Amino acid sequence: MNALREILALLRLYSQQFKTTFASMVQYRISLFIWMISQILEPLVYLIVWSTVSNSSGGSVGGYTARGFAAYYLVLMLVNQFTYTWIMWEYEYRVRQGLLSFALLKPVHPIHSDISDNLSSKIITLPILMFVAAGLALIFKPTAAFNWWAGLVFIPALILAFLVRFLIEWTLALAAFWTTRVNAINQVYFILMLFLAGQIAPLTLFPNWLQIVADILPFRWMLGFPVELLLGRLSHAQALLGLAAQFAWVIISLVLIRVIWRAGVRVYSAVGA
Amino acid sequence: MNTLRLIYVFFRVSVLNETAYRVNFFVQLFQSILELGTALAGLAVIFSYTQSLGGWRPNEMLALVGVYFLVGGIISLVIQPGMAALIDSVRDGTLDFTLTKPEDAQLLVSIQRVAIWSLLDLLMGTGVLITALVLLGKSVGLGEAVQFIGMLLAGAVIVYSFWLILASLSFWFVRVENLLEIFQSMYQAGRWPISLYPGWLRFALTFIVPVAFATTVPAEALTGRLGGPTLLEAIGLAILLFAIARVIWRLGLRRYSGASA
């Protein structure tokens, strides 16, 4: 009974937070739009670069034709948008301004409002991005070997990718408790993401040892894996193994969050306290 | 002469200010090295699959990366900090203090803030550029050197004028910081030769947000692939944009009414 009541309360919290964020997103729609430019431009640039390479080396590079790259990067653009978070910048600001004190006073864990914040902004940005991706698809004419089972497995893979990325980046954001130079940490993180999640190139284009590193670390499972899955580039076994790895990373990051959050709150002292 | 003296004074004050925060130097050094390393590693991945990218060989691409860092360094050294401060001061009304000084206000706002650690990007860019030239194994003729410096200057003027136009919009609209973000995110596209992009994107990166003139064109000058028309276009656009920026700045100032007026 108690558990049920808690879940209901949490749902109410989510829907309320949802309305608030939605209203503020509509208010700041121009910033949202401008911020989306870089979300679109980065994969677009790599799409163009790799298509050029593919065209100039006999029509195919590492199993990708120019149109194959188009499919890869357009799906990557959408998956990236779906799993994206900006929580590291948010936390740095909260800790620096002492705003976290209010969040700590509330009777629920602050991660809940962050999750619903993140989801509600995507309800606005995703349709716009899908529209853009459709337009780009007309220009670059992507092709992929789509199949039904991969399409079905893609949905849980996408949700797990979001969870892994959200939990990992939320943990990383807690670095703000210990240092004010979060930017340098974030930069390292983004570079790892660039290479090991499949942003700079599909991971199969990398040397073998780097692919093994990417399999062990969480980055691939936040972005590259669902993309390759949807494009029909993975076998059944690879898909299952991927889901298992995603699951493992969700659990690892949940444990990490518990430990680091407790330690962090103990270190935190608001300005003026 | 007076202009140079003013630039020197402002620069000196910035150096004095910033040397109080020496750790920032190491943080910036760390970040710059990471960024350069990422750019080079990216090139390494791409050139492990091809000999030339849209007609650019590896060492020529290296030169382009050098120019990208060099110009990016100039932007974050003076242009970006000054223009961000201008927008803030229009909103807060602190532009009053600048306007009362007996010097040209446009010059003063443009050099008011110097982020000196960005000199690191500038130095690294130059280093990469020199390395690229040595690797290319060709001596740069006097003609190419003059062209390169001319195009670099034209590119800097174009970028500066573009930022000033955007920042001057703050005289009419309150929130324009976001517009500056557009340039920052579009600038990334300048790390690759503009000729790779499809026509519509090339047009946007040349005339709407003039990234092409800042990076590709100077690199073309250095690698001896610059045509006469592009050269004239760059110089023409630099003069035109500078004039437009001046006019918009003047019109904006006339609208400005200060904090308490």
Side-chain angles (χ1 to χ4, degrees), chain B residues 105-159:
Chain B
Q106 185 188 335
L107 174 68
L108 289 180
V109 300
S110 304
I111 57 174
Q112 62 184 326
R113 221 174 268 176
V114 184
I116 55 159
W117 299 141
S118 298
L119 276 175
L120 281 171
D121 280 342
L122 227 144
L123 288 178
M124 271 188 212
T126 314
V128 172
L129 201 59
I130 292 171
T131 314
L133 289 180
V134 171
L135 289 175
L136 276 170
K138 67 172 209 170
S139 51
V140 179
L142 185 67
E144 278 166 352
V146 171
Q147 272 188 14
F148 170 69
I149 292 175
M151 287 303 96
L152 205 59
L153 278 176
V157 170
I158 288 169
V159 171

Side-chain angles (χ1 to χ4, degrees), chain A residues 43 47 67-83 126 129-130 133-134 136-137 142-144 146 154 158 198 223-232:
Chain A
L47 190 173
R67 290 179 168 200
F69 277 118
Y72 180 86
Y73 277 109
L74 290 180
V75 174
L76 184 103
M77 191 186 281
L78 292 170
V79 172
N80 183 43
Q81 182 64 26
F82 186 83
T83 59
L126 263 176
L129 211 75
M130 282 176 166
L136 291 173
T143 52
F146 179 80
F154 173 73
L158 184 65
L223 191 58
F225 169 65
V227 179
E228 289 174 63
L229 183 66
L230 186 68
L231 298 180

Side-chain angles (χ1 to χ4, degrees), chain B:
Chain B
M1 217 45 232
N2 200 25
T3 307
L4 286 180
R5 198 178 52 84
L6 271 176
I7 291 175
Y8 171 72
V9 169
F10 273 85
F11 187 76
R12 214 174 72 94
V13 172
S14 292
V15 171
L16 289 177
N17 265 331
E18 202 45 48
T19 38
Y21 308 99
R22 254 158 293 182
V23 184
N24 283 350
F25 168 80
F26 293 102
V27 175
Q28 180 67 49
L29 182 68
F30 175 71
Q31 292 191 295
S32 295
I33 289 175
L34 271 186
E35 204 178 321
L36 184 62
T38 310
L40 297 183
L43 282 188
V45 174
I46 284 156
F47 281 113
S48 68
Y49 283 98
T50 184
Q51 254 96 60
S52 87
L53 184 64
W56 291 62
R57 282 173 294 131
N59 293 332
E60 292 173 329
M61 278 300 297
L62 196 62
L64 180 60
V65 169
V67 175
Y68 175 81
F69 272 81
L70 187 64
V71 176
I74 296 174
I75 293 172
S76 54
L77 180 74
V78 285
I79 300 179
Q80 195 264 337
M83 292 303 129
L86 168 62
I87 292 172
D88 285 345
S89 63
V90 170
R91 195 178 40 213
D92 304 339
T94 45
L95 189 64
D96 295 8
F97 303 121
T98 311
L99 294 179
T100 50
K101 293 198 176 102
E103 286 293 340
D104 183 71
Q106 185 188 335
L107 174 68
L108 289 180
V109 300
S110 304
I111 57 174
Q112 62 184 326
R113 221 174 268 176
V114 184
I116 55 159
W117 299 141
S118 298
L119 276 175
L120 281 171
D121 280 342
L122 227 144
L123 288 178
M124 271 188 212
T126 314
V128 172
L129 201 59
I130 292 171
T131 314
L133 289 180
V134 171
L135 289 175
L136 276 170
K138 67 172 209 170
S139 51
V140 179
L142 185 67
E144 278 166 352
V146 171
Q147 272 188 14
F148 170 69
I149 292 175
M151 287 303 96
L152 205 59
L153 278 176
V157 170
I158 288 169
V159 171
Y160 163 75
S161 308
F162 184 76
W163 278 66
L164 182 62
I165 291 171
L166 290 186
S168 296
L169 290 179
S170 62
F171 289 113
W172 288 273
F173 311 103
V174 188
R175 290 182 58 94
V176 296
E177 294 97 327
N178 289 320
L179 285 177
L180 298 184
E181 294 289 322
I182 295 188
F183 184 88
Q184 291 293 63
S185 54
M186 302 271 286
Y187 184 68
Q188 301 165 25
R191 213 165 71 194
W192 308 95
I194 222 80
S195 55
L196 288 188
Y197 301 124
W200 54 276
L201 191 56
R202 202 160 49 212
F203 179 82
L205 290 171
T206 310
F207 295 108
I208 299 177
V209 183
V211 171
F213 289 107
T215 57
T216 303
V217 172
E220 280 177 340
L222 205 59
T223 51
R225 54 177 79 213
L226 189 66
T230 317
L231 194 107
L232 292 178
E233 242 171 59
I235 296 172
L237 190 68
I239 296 171
L240 182 72
L241 267 185
F242 191 78
I244 293 176
R246 183 77 183 166
V247 169
I248 292 182
W249 160 258
R250 283 281 175 92
L251 287 175
L253 269 192
R254 208 176 297 161
R255 240 189 90 92
Y256 176 73
S257 55
S260 54

